[in-house]
Amino acid sequence: MSLIVHKYGGTSMGSTERIRNVAKRVAKWARAGHQMVVVPSAMSGETNRLLGLAKELAPERPDTAYYRELDMLAATGEQASSALLAIALQAEGLEAVSYAGWQVPIRTDSAYTKARIDSIDDARVRADLAAGKVVIVTGFQGVDEAGNITTLGRGGSDTSAVAVAAALKADECLIYTDVDGVYTTDPRIVPEARRLHSISFEEMLEMASLGSKVLQIRSVEFAGKYKVPLRVLSSFTPWDIPIEEEARSGTLITFEEDEDMEQAVVSGIAFNRDEAKISVLGVPDKPGIAAQILGAVADANIEVDMIIQNVGKEGRTDFSFTVHRNDYARTMDLLKEKVAPALGAQEVLGDAKICKVSIVGIGMRSHVGVASTMFRSLSEEGINIQMISTSEIKTSVVIDEKYMELAVRALHRAFGLDAE
Ligand code: ADP
Ligand code: ASP
Ligand code: MG
């Protein structure tokens, strides 16, 4: 007998009909003799709907009291879908029970809207499994030390599922979603994208961190830390396909580089429209400038991604970096009102209409000229590169947002990823 964790995303839970289908699939696994824990997301659109209601009443403001209520509110989406799934499973003739994060409990820190899981108490879930029940645990949420409900950031149900699988030492964690696996890039942008049979953990980590929302980055980090066997697969196959077939479908995240793995130099292309670029022009070119600019940004709790400092000229230099688009207005205000005057900078410029496009592949380690192929194919499309950053297994560029799809398609072709 194996202990299996299933996670179903919002689209997979999107209607009572789909929830019934999920219940039938889970029942199939339970009847085959597996101990089953299921982690559902809220029904599709529900989290956006709830957060939209809050914004109608009061525009978002970065304060703890407001964020606490957002979590209180958003967590209800998963509570509803979990109870509905339990009801559907009971209707299938199985014993099923659902728990909200605080009931398990899944303990987190108090960083509302982006809390991190500290620990999971597995006693209650284990007792139910031993009694032959299917256990449903809400995705996306936990509880802090003071008993406040927290949420784990958008897409956080992936992380709940992997964390629950790690805590229970599950044999496998299956992430059921609305595509049938991890593709070379988002198949909704590039129809020629191909499904990967497997992807290395390191590549998946880069893809997720660079914008591929098929898995939340923290779920991949968890899987790596606790070596949770992880697979991404479709919830839209007929629920009654043979379990052996289902268990081999989709994309496996692998922890060892096995010989059979597709040996592409570039395995995938990720993109991210959530960033904005800010430049501080004409700052005095002297030691401590980067520390002063970025120090002030960090003190305001704003995360910085890419950073560039230009070569100085006549004692002055330019300094650019990117932040999350949600933090754009706040960062601009901070720089214009406080940092630039203090430094004697000449101008602060911002551009929220940028995007980051990245190529990812462990094959890049052993191949030279990969980045130059990337730059060449972008220049052939007339796309100007504004910023570049590289690491061992990825190269990212910042470009004008309006060229995003063109760039992703061109790179997909240039690196031989298009399906034949
Ligand atoms: P769920 O609600 O099941 O969590 P998400 O919308 O969060 O689903 O994630 C699945 C989506 O991720 C797909 O519909 C697809 O558009 C997108 N996606 C982005 N990059 C990729 C990729 N490389 N492979 C597969 N899907 C991707
Ligand atoms: N419902 C949450 C969201 O929409 C969590 C998730 O779906 O993973 O972000
Ligand atoms: Mg998701």
Side-chain angles (χ1 to χ4, degrees), residues 7-13 41-42 44 154-155 157-158 175-189 193-196 199 204 207 211-216 232-233 235 251 268-271:
K7 181 260 170 177
Y8 292 91
T11 319
S12 313
M13 295 290 293
S41 289
S44 60
R154 298 308 302 268
S157 298
D158 297 329
I175 307 284
Y176 288 85
T177 183
D178 55 5
V179 281
D180 63 355
V182 179
Y183 278 68
T184 46
T185 192
D186 189 339
R188 293 185 206 285
I189 298 287
R194 279 184 300 118
R195 179 170 61 82
L196 300 162
I199 181 168
M204 192 65 241
M207 290 283 279
S212 296
K213 291 183 178 142
V214 61
L215 285 178
Q216 197 201 36
V232 176
L233 69 170
S235 71
T251 302
I269 297 170
F271 51 86

Side-chain angles (χ1 to χ4, degrees), residues 76-349:
T76 63
E78 271 70 12
Q79 189 172 328
S81 62
S82 295
L84 290 169
L85 181 58
I87 289 167
L89 279 162
Q90 290 166 2
E92 289 297 319
L94 290 176
E95 277 195 75
V97 58
S98 71
Y99 294 115
W102 65 269
Q103 290 174 306
V104 174
I106 296 179
R107 294 196 188 284
T108 71
D109 62 19
S110 302
Y112 300 118
T113 75
K114 51 178 183 212
R116 279 180 184 275
I117 297 178
D118 289 330
S119 66
I120 298 181
D121 187 341
D122 64 352
R124 202 164 182 178
V125 176
R126 279 201 189 284
D128 287 325
L129 289 172
K133 292 182 190 165
V134 174
V135 183
I136 298 151
V137 176
T138 49
F140 185 48
Q141 59 180 271
V143 62
D144 75 359
E145 221 171 301
N148 299 299
I149 289 175
T150 56
T151 67
L152 311 179
R154 298 308 302 268
S157 298
D158 297 329
T159 303
S160 308
V162 177
V164 164
L168 291 166
K169 300 188 179 58
D171 294 283
E172 198 164 13
C173 181
L174 302 177
I175 307 284
Y176 288 85
T177 183
D178 55 5
V179 281
D180 63 355
V182 179
Y183 278 68
T184 46
T185 192
D186 189 339
R188 293 185 206 285
I189 298 287
V190 181
E192 293 81 13
R194 279 184 300 118
R195 179 170 61 82
L196 300 162
H197 294 287
S198 63
I199 181 168
S200 73
F201 157 72
E202 286 170 284
E203 288 170 320
M204 192 65 241
L205 201 58
E206 288 286 3
M207 290 283 279
S209 83
L210 295 168
S212 296
K213 291 183 178 142
V214 61
L215 285 178
Q216 197 201 36
I217 168 92
R218 286 186 187 165
S219 72
V220 188
E221 287 169 356
F222 249 103
K225 191 164 172 197
Y226 297 100
K227 296 285 173 295
V228 178
L230 189 62
R231 185 179 285 276
V232 176
L233 69 170
S234 172
S235 71
F236 291 146
T237 53
W239 69 264
D240 55 354
I241 61 170
I243 284 195
E244 307 71 54
E245 188 186 322
E246 193 169 307
R248 279 195 312 269
S249 67
T251 302
L252 180 70
I253 318 302
T254 57
F255 295 102
E256 272 134 46
E257 290 178 32
D258 83 57
E259 308 256 301
D260 301 336
M261 258 173 60
E262 294 162 62
Q263 284 302 326
V265 179
V266 169
S267 301
I269 297 170
F271 51 86
N272 181 351
R273 271 176 283 214
D274 296 340
E275 291 188 21
K277 186 176 85 166
I278 294 174
S279 302
V280 189
L281 305 182
V283 287
D285 192 11
K286 59 179 192 205
I289 286 299
Q292 270 180 309
I293 298 176
L294 297 179
V297 173
D299 288 345
N301 241 325
I302 298 166
E303 249 178 75
V304 169
D305 180 21
M306 280 161 107
I307 303 169
I308 284 187
Q309 181 172 346
N310 284 352
V311 179
K313 216 169 62 187
E314 289 156 15
R316 293 198 173 259
T317 187
D318 303 334
F319 193 88
S320 301
F321 57 94
T322 62
V323 294
H324 196 283
R325 237 179 244 191
N326 292 347
D327 293 325
Y328 175 61
R330 208 153 62 89
T331 316
M332 285 296 281
D333 289 348
L334 174 74
L335 290 172
K336 279 189 175 160
E337 283 159 27
K338 300 226 174 86
V339 182
L343 287 176
Q346 287 163 337
E347 204 177 357
V348 181
L349 292 180

